[in-house]
Every structure is written in structure tokens, then in C-alpha cells.
Amino acid sequence: MKRLVILGGGESGVGTAILGKKEGFEVFVSDFGKINEKYKEVLDKYEIEWEDETHTESLILNADLVMKSPGIPEKSAIVKQLIEKKVPVISEIEFAFPYTNAITVGITGSNGKTTTTMLTYHLLKSAGLNVGLGGNIGKSFAWQVAENDFDIYVLELSSFQLDGCFEYKPHIAILLNISPDHLDRYEYKYENYIASKFRITQKQDEKDFLIFDDDDEAIAQWFKNNKTKAQIVPFSISKQLEFGASLNNTTMKIITKNDEFTMDTMDIALEGKHNIKNAMAATSVAQLLKIRKETIKQSMSNFEGVPHRLEKVLKIQHVQYINDSKATNVNATFYALDSMTAPTVWIVGGVDKGNDYTELMSLVREKVKAIVCLGMDNKKIIDTFGNVVDIMIEVDDMQDAVKLSQRIAEKGDTVLLSPCCASFDLFKNYEDRGNQFKAAVQDL
């Protein structure tokens, strides 16, 4: 019996443990932190051995195969030891993929993954397809493979998950965009991060499809020196394409395999240029899977968006409050500021991941009337924008940030939480940060 060791007792780890047990592995789960009580109960129910708050080397290094949760870096001591011993270390996606005959739609990119994944899932579900949602969101992919029987899975895939993929082969892959992010995990080399994203197409063949942003510089640069075997379906909002998705004034046109779909972007529920691109990617999937045009149009017009991503919270005294807590890098905040149509009080800050804020300079000059810095260390933000905006304030809790923003904002303005940074200095995660923002707005 092969020994499967799982590092990390969260959603993906427990899901992999359940599937591993079902497929006849001897399974052991080890988490250096504390395993959530609900997951402990599941592991006990399935009679799966586990430990937390430690890694017992003798119980880990004897593995035939290791599934590493995406949050654990390869630099961690136990992972280094496993690699030295030549024990295969893979991701949940890689582990689960061989145990299902379902089609998978794999979606990656620096920004827009969650929105595009949810929109694609919404399109396919509205068409009556038997579809599961997993990867970085929803229930663990492996868990669903163990317990459900979906025909299609729509998977949001981070670069960390793709790093542990070697044979995984999505039938349809989407690469939304690439901008510098998580470079601390990639030796601060942008090219390593780019290569990680392109792992999504490494095993695709001529029967598969790669949908990608034809306007993206990093993607274009990769294609100069590399090839994919998949059929390519580009999308662009800046040029007309003979094949793929283009924009003509406000009309989105998608041409795939002798089929054409058009829709006025004014009828799409999501707002902003970046969301037109997300819509193009999701609609291209629907086209390739031959979903009725009327179903696509209805789904695109009634989609409700993703929590913490340009989420309109409330309008108070003619001031709109928007929660964009999911914007944890410069590129995501660029999209947010770009979509602002009113003078903006911008709440920004958190754990800086090597951000270059100068990319936001022209948007800040044009749209931002005040900056509220919400973080433990705001020096870089203050140095960059201190001479650009008239009002700059530092706070270290969300209620103060929202109350001060309310004082600054005037009729017709927008208060935007788009932190541009990770949340771990003051919050559990970006959801906690967004929820605290929403609660503080509701308390005004």
C-alpha cells in the first residue's frame, strides 16, 4: 500500500486525504499549525491519521507521495528534506485529476480569477450542465472527485497550485493576465512567476484550448519564445481579432470554430474594462462548450459578482462605499481605480509584497482626492503619494478608516477600499478585512 502524506490540514488537505483513502492509499495528514475542529472531525470520521502543531519527520519522510497545500512554501524545512529524498511533492489538483473523467476548465491569472471562475460556473450551471466549482474557491476539488460525479469542473488555479502540477491537463485553460505578484515565492524573479502561470498549458494537446489576453505584455513576450500545443483563443479590447473575442465600440464579439456570438457590453452585469475581459474569457468557454446564445446573454446580465471585488456596499448621503478588499496587488487596484467615475477617497495599505506604486500615479492624480493609509507600515505609500494628494491620513483600524473617510467625502464622491496589499498585519485574511469594512460602513 502506497503511503500518501499530506502537508496542511485545511480544505485541500482534508479533501485529498478523503480521496486518497478512497483510492487505497495509507494516508497521514500533518499540519505545522492548528487544524480546524471541523476538519479534525472529518479526518476522525474517515479514520485518517493526523497530527497538528508539529511535523514528525519519521512519519513524513517515509512517504511515497506528498500533497503539499498551496500556502506552504518550497523553502520550508520539511519540503526541502522531501525534495532532497526525491519524494514527489504535488498539488491537490495534480493528485485528484487522474481520478475523474470530467472535463476541467482551469482558470489562472494575477487578477480576475475568482470573478471569471464564478462567472464561468454561473454560465455553465445556468445552461443546465452538471458542473462543480473548486480549486482556490468552493469545496476542495479532490473532495468533490471523491464524493460527487460532476461532468465538468471549473477550477480557479493559483500559481502555487500550478507549481505542484506536472501532468494536469485542463481541456480549456484560461490565462487572464500576468503582473508581478507573490515574487517572494519566486526568488524575486518575474520570469519564474510567468513560467509558473504558463504551467496551465504545459500538458495540453491539439484537442484542448488556451484562452488568453492578447493585450497582455508578459503573455505576448512568452509566446515569442514558447509554444502551446493547444488551440489558442485570444481576447482583446484594444484590437479587432479574426478569431477569438474583440470589442467594437460597446459590442463584444466572439468568433470560435465557425460560430459567432455578439452582446452589448451595456447588458453585462459587471462594470469596468477588466470585467469586459473577464466576460470575454468566460463567454469563450461557453461558446466552446456550445451553450445556447440566449442562455449566455441571460447569465451575463443577471450575474451578481464576487464578494470583496468592487462590491458596492451602501450609498450614504450620496457617497458610494465600495469594498475591493480582494485587491491585494498593484494590478488589481489599478483596475479598481480605473473604473472609478467620481472623486475617490482611497483606503489603502497592509503587508507590502514588493509593490511598485508608481504604476498607479496617473490614476491617483486623476481620480483620488484623499488617501487613508490602513496598515502597520505605510512609509512606502506616503513616500510615493505624499506630494500628489491634498489629504493623507494614517490609521490602524478599519472603523477609524471608514469614519475618517466619511468626514472627507462629499456628495457624489466614492470611498474605495482597495488595499493593494496583503491583509495579514491587521486582519485574518482579505475576507475579514472586507467584512470589517462592510460592518463599519453599516455602522455609520
Side-chain angles (χ1 to χ4, degrees):
M1 188 185 283
K2 279 193 166 181
R3 183 169 173 80
L4 169 66
V5 170
I6 292 157
L7 299 179
E11 180 73 20
S12 68
V14 173
T16 303
I18 290 166
L19 180 59
K21 179 96 178 186
K22 184 186 172 193
E23 296 298 336
F25 285 85
E26 177 197 340
V27 181
F28 178 65
V29 176
S30 177
D31 195 315
F32 204 63
K34 209 161 175 41
I35 297 177
N36 188 303
E37 288 302 320
K38 70 173 181 180
Y39 290 132
K40 286 180 182 177
E41 284 174 25
V42 172
L43 293 169
D44 289 341
K45 177 186 148 194
Y46 282 89
E47 298 179 345
I48 292 165
E49 281 188 58
W50 58 268
E51 65 175 3
D52 64 353
E53 299 185 88
T54 187
H55 282 323
T56 306
E57 289 182 11
S58 60
L59 297 173
I60 294 171
L61 298 177
N62 62 353
D64 295 300
L65 181 65
V66 170
M67 194 296 285
K68 174 179 79 65
S69 289
I72 301 169
E74 292 201 351
K75 293 175 194 149
S76 77
I78 196 73
V79 177
K80 276 184 171 172
Q81 285 176 274
L82 287 160
I83 290 167
E84 273 169 30
K85 284 179 69 75
K86 296 194 165 47
V87 178
V89 179
I90 63 172
S91 69
E92 174 207 0
I93 308 301
E94 178 79 356
F95 179 77
F97 177 65
Y99 299 111
T100 176
N101 295 319
I103 285 172
T104 69
V105 179
I107 300 168
T108 196
S110 300
N111 296 294
K113 290 189 294 296
T114 304
T115 299
T116 307
T117 303
M118 295 294 286
L119 181 55
T120 305
Y121 175 73
H122 176 66
L123 280 168
L124 305 190
K125 190 104 174 124
S126 301
L129 298 178
N130 178 27
V131 57
L133 173 73
N136 237 9
I137 49 173
K139 194 166 183 182
S140 148
F141 174 48
W143 203 327
Q144 293 180 78
V145 169
E147 295 187 344
N148 302 100
D149 191 20
F150 291 116
D151 300 325
I152 300 173
Y153 286 96
V154 181
L155 303 176
E156 178 188 324
L157 302 174
S158 68
S159 53
F160 302 157
Q161 283 163 316
L162 290 168
D163 288 337
C165 287
F166 304 92
E167 299 299 325
Y168 169 62
K169 175 182 173 301
H171 176 50
I172 301 174
I174 297 177
L175 181 49
L176 291 165
N177 48 61
I178 306 178
S179 60
D181 196 9
H182 303 297
L183 295 190
D184 51 329
R185 286 274 290 259
Y186 294 98
E187 298 171 13
Y188 294 94
K189 291 179 181 167
Y190 190 26
E191 62 271 26
N192 292 0
Y193 176 64
I194 293 168
S196 174
K197 288 293 184 196
F198 270 97
R199 291 178 79 90
I200 199 164
T201 190
Q202 65 186 342
K203 286 293 173 180
Q204 286 190 299
D205 60 34
E206 297 79 2
K207 296 190 194 80
D208 302 317
F209 299 91
L210 173 63
I211 298 165
F212 65 92
D213 184 351
D214 203 39
D215 302 329
D216 189 283
E217 278 179 39
I219 292 174
Q221 196 58 43
W222 186 90
F223 272 114
K224 281 182 185 170
N225 305 309
N226 303 277
K227 280 186 178 152
T228 174
K229 287 182 180 169
Q231 299 176 56
I232 58 170
V233 183
F235 59 86
S236 169
I237 61 170
S238 67
K239 49 188 178 261
Q240 295 300 304
L241 303 174
E242 288 178 23
F243 185 81
S246 311
L247 193 62
N248 189 355
N249 294 321
T250 65
T251 302
M252 177 175 79
K253 182 196 280 188
I254 297 174
I255 303 168
T256 55
K257 283 195 158 183
N258 308 321
D259 199 7
E260 190 173 304
F261 172 85
T262 57
M263 182 171 182
D264 195 316
T265 55
M266 308 301 277
D267 297 330
I268 295 172
L270 296 170
E271 298 171 16
K273 284 184 212 160
H274 62 294
N275 275 324
I276 291 173
K277 290 191 170 191
N278 296 339
M280 285 175 162
T283 308
S284 297
V285 174
Q287 278 280 89
L288 292 170
L289 294 176
K290 298 184 170 55
I291 287 170
R292 284 178 62 243
K293 293 179 172 63
E294 202 45 52
T295 304
I296 297 173
K297 285 184 178 174
Q298 279 177 1
S299 303
M300 296 298 270
S301 62
N302 64 24
F303 180 64
E304 289 184 352
V306 174
H308 312 296
R309 194 73 191 93
L310 286 172
E311 178 187 11
K312 287 181 178 171
V313 181
L314 280 177
K315 198 174 247 191
I316 300 171
Q317 293 166 327
H318 303 285
V319 174
Q320 179 69 61
Y321 291 80
I322 296 178
N323 167 28
D324 194 43
S325 181
K326 204 167 189 304
T328 60
N329 58 40
V330 168
N331 206 244
T333 295
F334 183 95
Y335 290 139
L337 289 173
D338 191 41
S339 65
M340 292 299 108
T341 54
T344 301
V345 178
W346 176 30
I347 303 173
V348 57
V351 179
D352 185 294
K353 297 186 283 185
N355 288 344
D356 178 5
Y357 296 107
T358 56
E359 292 171 35
L360 302 172
M361 190 62 77
S362 61
L363 286 170
V364 171
R365 284 186 198 281
E366 182 192 342
K367 309 204 178 205
V368 175
K369 65 185 285 183
I371 289 177
V372 177
C373 296
L374 174 63
M376 301 289 278
D377 179 9
N378 304 307
K379 184 177 185 308
K380 207 163 151 187
I381 296 165
I382 293 164
D383 288 349
T384 307
F385 300 116
N387 298 323
V388 178
V389 295
D390 293 333
I391 304 169
M392 184 169 268
I393 301 165
E394 285 193 85
V395 294
D396 59 10
D397 98 3
M398 184 61 82
Q399 283 203 311
D400 287 349
V402 170
K403 280 177 184 164
L404 284 163
S405 299
Q406 184 190 32
R407 277 187 217 156
I408 298 163
E410 298 168 291
K411 185 177 177 180
D413 288 354
T414 297
V415 173
L416 170 70
L417 169 70
S418 189
C420 211
C421 298
S423 55
F424 305 120
D425 56 344
L426 298 173
F427 308 95
K428 288 182 203 152
N429 47 39
Y430 76 80
E431 291 100 335
D432 176 39
R433 176 168 62 190
N435 289 335
Q436 286 197 34
F437 174 75
K438 289 195 279 190
V441 170
Q442 275 147 5
D443 284 345
L444 287 175

